[in-house]
Amino acid sequence: MNKKLFSLSQKVDSLSDQVDKKELLIKNIQSMVSGEAVAPTIQRDSLNNDVSFNDLNKEIDLSQIAPADSQFRKDFEASGLELISNNKIRDIELQEMFFFDPVEGAIISSPYNAKEDHFGIDIVAKKNEPVKSIANGTVIMADNNLDDGYVIAIQHSSNLLSIYKHNSALLKKVGNFVTAGEIISIMGNTGNLSSAPHLHFEIWYNGNPVNPEDFVSF
């Protein structure tokens, strides 16, 4: 009985931890969609659950680097080779994927500009133009808020998220699976941040915004 109780206790702890992680993921996605700051996540060591922020801020003592490591670095820099950055890896992965145009016959009225916190592009088209999902995925948000009006967000594979704002109507609900090119909403002029009928369209990859024009043909 003691063994069974111990085993059940471990399962409960594990399930509780999974629920906490899922709740944090959902909160981060909702915060990201609404433009709020995303709560940081800290990976804890499996042998030690205590996290010391002082440890996170420690600087590397360059004097402790072995001579062989220093020589390797010099040889590598002299070779003219360069490491592939995370951005390059991201671009390669996304360019290998095919994305549908969310709106046909559209014109981009405002481009992506992360420096001005404009993490997407504004698209204008005909009145009541249908909005389509750029890829297969699951609807994780379908809501109405004061600034962005009717918003729908779709979680795709490879940690990819697409967001569609200022719709006049939403045609899908949370939990619905949608296919690439399937109509998900109707373009509109809802929300305080919208001054004319248009679609504000965003793509987020691994929690970071990317320029939709780099990967979708408009």
Side-chain angles (χ1 to χ4, degrees), residues 8-140:
L8 289 173
S9 177
Q10 285 186 316
K11 289 181 180 180
V12 170
D13 289 341
S14 177
L15 290 173
S16 177
D17 185 55
Q18 291 181 18
V19 169
D20 290 341
K21 289 181 180 178
K22 288 182 179 179
E23 288 181 350
L24 180 59
L25 175 62
I26 292 172
K27 288 181 180 178
N28 281 346
I29 291 174
Q30 291 175 341
S31 298
M32 189 169 56
V33 171
S34 61
E36 299 175 359
V38 177
T41 57
I42 300 174
Q43 297 294 333
R44 297 185 176 182
D45 190 281
S46 59
L47 299 178
N48 184 6
N49 289 329
D50 296 328
V51 178
S52 172
F53 287 94
N54 292 328
D55 292 339
L56 296 178
N57 293 324
K58 285 182 179 178
E59 296 182 356
I60 298 174
D61 186 358
L62 298 179
S63 64
Q64 301 300 320
I65 298 178
D69 294 337
S70 298
Q71 184 60 43
F72 173 79
R73 177 174 180 143
K74 290 180 181 178
D75 294 342
F76 179 81
E77 291 175 346
S79 68
L81 298 175
E82 60 182 44
L83 294 173
I84 299 177
S85 67
N86 289 334
N87 287 340
K88 289 183 179 179
I89 295 175
R90 176 203 69 190
D91 293 347
I92 292 172
E93 290 177 346
L94 290 180
Q95 286 170 359
E96 291 177 349
M97 300 176 67
F98 175 77
F99 299 114
F100 272 79
D101 191 334
V103 179
E104 294 182 1
I107 299 174
I108 298 174
S109 60
S110 182
Y112 174 90
N113 191 339
K115 292 182 179 179
E116 296 183 1
D117 294 333
H118 193 248
F119 299 118
I121 59 175
D122 291 340
I123 303 171
V124 295
K126 297 178 181 179
K127 185 179 180 181
N128 296 327
E129 189 72 17
V131 178
K132 302 175 182 178
S133 174
I134 61 171
N136 296 346
T138 302
V139 178
I140 61 171

Side-chain angles (χ1 to χ4, degrees), residues 10 54 64 68 114 125 139 144 150 156 173 189 193 201 203 211:
Q10 285 186 316
N54 292 328
Q64 301 300 320
V139 178
N144 180 26
Y150 287 101
H156 309 283
K173 298 179 180 180
N189 183 29
L193 297 181
F201 172 62
I203 295 179
N211 186 354

Side-chain angles (χ1 to χ4, degrees), residues 163-198:
I163 304 173
Y164 315 75
K165 300 181 178 181
H166 307 305
N167 300 278
S168 62
L170 303 179
L171 305 181
K172 300 296 179 180
K173 298 179 180 180
V174 173
N176 287 162
F177 177 80
V178 297
T179 57
E182 185 174 351
I183 297 175
I184 56 175
S185 63
I186 303 298
M187 192 174 70
N189 183 29
T190 58
N192 291 339
L193 297 181
S194 178
S195 57
H198 76 287

